[in-house]
């Protein structure tokens, strides 16, 4: 029996080469269970190759990979049952109806015969395809095909879902629905790894950021604001406040990240109670507070900082 690991993904020293190209250069990292990890990096960084290795679709030359407690190199078939994977350039069985596509994906991922119908209906509902179940895949729009492909990747209720550019080809409404779906899947305890070039979208639902460049991981961390017990608070004041930074720094449990004459960003430990106490303290200190807003770290800025700082 595979030994379950608290991390959903553990990769160690993974090396993968195409002829003449080292796509993964001894990559090591962990992805916490229950997280949504944004996999980002410039074109050619190795994101697709990494996802394919994690999903057991490519075999690295060196290293080890465990996903959902399964040793991917030892038991690739067991991985396929626990993992869902959406390829960046997927194909559908064009001659099959959406219902048959889903049923086929369910069977291929090890869903028992008796459970297939239920899984097809649930997935169609979830992906907004219930009205199109009898339509042939060839007769779907680009965005509808994308939704079928995502449905196929999650029909067997995988523990880990990996999606390579899932939002490409979707209209803004469908993108928004996808962001909602990812949040919902995370709440159900599924670990997600999502690669995308559209960072603003990843920002909506990601808890962690994994940055690749030249076949290496250059950053792997939780996004601030997504970490329990650590909040960033943006303050604005109706007028300039004299010695604002010193006044804020004197408040308990607070670190001042930025302060101007009439605005500041603070970091605060301790969740909602601490935020309430901070708000009270600011008002009691007689400061002309006009805005008190929780701020999440901006994935886009953070990514550009990381990639900008990494040696090329
Ligand atoms: P993108 O953001 O452009 O999709 P990526 O981060 O997904 O890029 P990969 O597709 O994993 O990057 O490619 C990593 C490296 O491996 C690149 O240098 C690429 O040229 C090379 N590569 C990818 N697929 C092949 C292949 N089938 N044969 C040879 N080289 C390949």
């Amino acid at each position: 029996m595979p030994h379950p690991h608290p991390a959903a993904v553990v990769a160690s020293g993974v090396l993968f080469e195409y002829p003449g190209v080292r796509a993964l250069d001894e990559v090591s990292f962990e992805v916490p269970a229950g997280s949504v990890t944004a996999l980002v990096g410039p074109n050619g960084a190795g994101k697709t190759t990494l996802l394919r290795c994690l999903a057991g679709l490519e075999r690295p030359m060196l290293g080890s990979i465990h996903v959902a407690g399964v040793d991917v190199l030892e038991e690739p078939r067991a991985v396929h049952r626990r993992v869902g994977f959406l390829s960046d350039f997927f194909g559908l069985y064009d001659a099959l109806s959406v219902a048959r596509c889903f049923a086929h994906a369910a069977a291929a991922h090890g869903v028992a015969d008796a459970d297939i119908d239920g899984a097809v209906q649930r997935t169609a509902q979830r992906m907004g395809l219930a009205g199109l179940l009898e339509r042939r895949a060839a007769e779907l729009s680009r965005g509808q095909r994308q939704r079928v492909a995502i449905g196929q990747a999650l029909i067997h209720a995988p523990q880990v879902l990996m999606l390579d550019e899932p939002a490409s080809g979707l209209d803004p409404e469908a993108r928004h629905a996808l962001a909602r779906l990812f949040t919902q899947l995370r709440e159900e305890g599924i670990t997600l790894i999502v690669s995308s070039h559209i960072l603003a979208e990843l920002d909506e639902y990601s808890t962690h950021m994994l940055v690749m460049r030249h076949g290496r991981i250059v950053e792997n961390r939780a996004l601030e604001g997504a970490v329990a017990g650590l909040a960033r608070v943006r303050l604005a004041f109706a007028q300039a406040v004299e010695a604002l930074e010193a006044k804020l720094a004197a408040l308990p449990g607070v670190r001042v990240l930025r302060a101007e004459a009439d605005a500041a960003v603070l970091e605060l430990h301790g969740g909602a109670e601490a935020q309430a106490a901070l708000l009270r303290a600011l008002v009691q200190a007689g400061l002309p507070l006009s805005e008190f807003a929780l701020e999440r770290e901006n994935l886009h800025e953070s990514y550009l900082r990381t990639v900008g700082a990494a040696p090329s």
Side-chain angles (χ1 to χ4, degrees), residues 18 21 23 42-49 197:
Y18 299 103
V21 180
N43 290 136
K47 304 179 298 293
T48 295
T49 308
H197 290 117

